[in-house]
């Protein structure tokens, strides 16, 4: 659906007046997915938010869904482009709420961090991130840089199943196939960006985020270097945040939303969003 002019996605907005102590949650998907990432049956953050009376919007980032690509598809370029658009989105869908809480995954979490570091007039209350770290494995740089010089690249389903999911038993065996309903062509520029520049500026970006942060990183994340030191270092880099809740989640993979811990993760994120609104 078209959320506002130029931005597609999906939403669950309660009918009638919205309580002033509620947030508008805006969910930002990762690479090679669309806003459907947050709305798969049985794994839907949107449904969980609606069940708790929380207004929520999941956007399609530039170059995904019906949202047109932009000239600068880097993470920084998308953050600059999205910040004023999210201001408009809040005026259209969030009037009456306390403000916006971003819930973001993977590359989307990196983009959300850049938005939170320089929010402008965005009424930002908090940021919940998962599936993003300080460093990617060294071998990933040559792999992403070797991708064709096109706007989009298709990542085969069997490759995604291998990297997006954790060990057997941490997810329903039917889930990898079901998750492909949320697939979208990946944007090459952001894949190259996450392995090429993110590690150089992540500490500076995180250090400028001045809202509460909820951070969860899966232990068996094949796209990031993960251990207690990395996760602790990520939390420690959030020096301007008034409240940081950072932890590693044992025995699960990159797309935690699609794993058995997904319900717990989403309820924690929504609880965090409610707390941000109540204490704003």
């Amino acid at each position: 659906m078209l959320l506002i002019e130029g931005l597609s996605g999906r939403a669950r907005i309660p009918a009638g007046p919205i309580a002033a102590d509620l947030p508008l949650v805006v969910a930002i998907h990762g690479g090679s997915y669309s806003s459907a990432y947050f709305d798969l049956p049985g794994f839907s953050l949107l449904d969980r938010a609606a069940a708790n009376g929380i207004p929520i919007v999941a956007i399609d980032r530039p170059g995904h869904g019906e949202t047109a690509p932009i000239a600068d598809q880097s993470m920084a370029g998308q953050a600059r482009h999205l910040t004023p658009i999210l201001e408009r989105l809040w005026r259209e869908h969030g009037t009456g709420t306390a403000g916006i809480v971003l819930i973001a995954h993977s590359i989307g979490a990196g983009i959300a961090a850049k938005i939170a570091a320089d929010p402008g007039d965005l009424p930002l209350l908090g940021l919940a991130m998962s599936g993003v770290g300080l460093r990617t494995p060294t071998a990933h740089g040559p792999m992403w840089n070797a991708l064709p010089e096109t706007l989009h690249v298709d990542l085969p389903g069997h490759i995604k199943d291998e990297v997006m999911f954790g060990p057997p038993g941490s997810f329903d065996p039917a889930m990898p196939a079901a998750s492909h309903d949320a697939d979208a062509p990946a944007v090459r520029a952001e894949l190259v960006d996450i392995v090429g520049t993110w590690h150089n500026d992540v500490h500076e970006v995180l250090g400028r985020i001045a809202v509460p942060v909820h951070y969860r990183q899966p232990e068996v994340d094949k796209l990031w270097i993960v251990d207690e030191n990395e996760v602790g270092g990520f939390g420690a880099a959030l020096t301007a945040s008034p409240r940081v809740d950072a932890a590693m989640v044992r025995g699960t993979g990159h797309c935690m939303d699609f794993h058995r811990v997904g319900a717990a993760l989403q309820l924690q994120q929504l609880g965090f969003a409610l707390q941000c609104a109540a204490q704003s």
Side-chain angles (χ1 to χ4, degrees), residues 48-72:
R48 292 192 205 283
N52 287 278
I54 303 169
I56 184 169
V57 173
I59 68 168
D60 291 315
R61 294 192 285 103
H64 300 80
E66 296 178 35
T67 303
I70 57 178
D72 182 0

Side-chain angles (χ1 to χ4, degrees), residues 205-272:
V205 170
L206 296 179
R208 290 191 288 115
I209 296 174
V211 295
V213 175
H214 183 276
Y215 172 62
R216 292 292 182 269
Q217 185 66 354
E219 178 186 25
V220 191
D221 192 327
K222 299 168 187 175
L223 296 176
W224 294 95
I225 296 172
V226 182
D227 59 30
E228 291 287 2
N229 287 334
E230 291 289 305
V231 174
F234 193 101
L238 292 156
T239 53
S241 173
R243 177 164 52 90
V244 177
D245 181 356
M248 182 167 68
V249 182
R250 300 285 182 181
T252 195
H254 181 69
C255 293
M256 282 193 290
D257 298 82
F258 298 159
H259 288 67
R260 298 193 190 279
V261 300
L265 170 71
Q266 292 177 352
L267 288 171
Q268 288 174 19
Q269 291 172 329
L270 292 171
F272 167 78

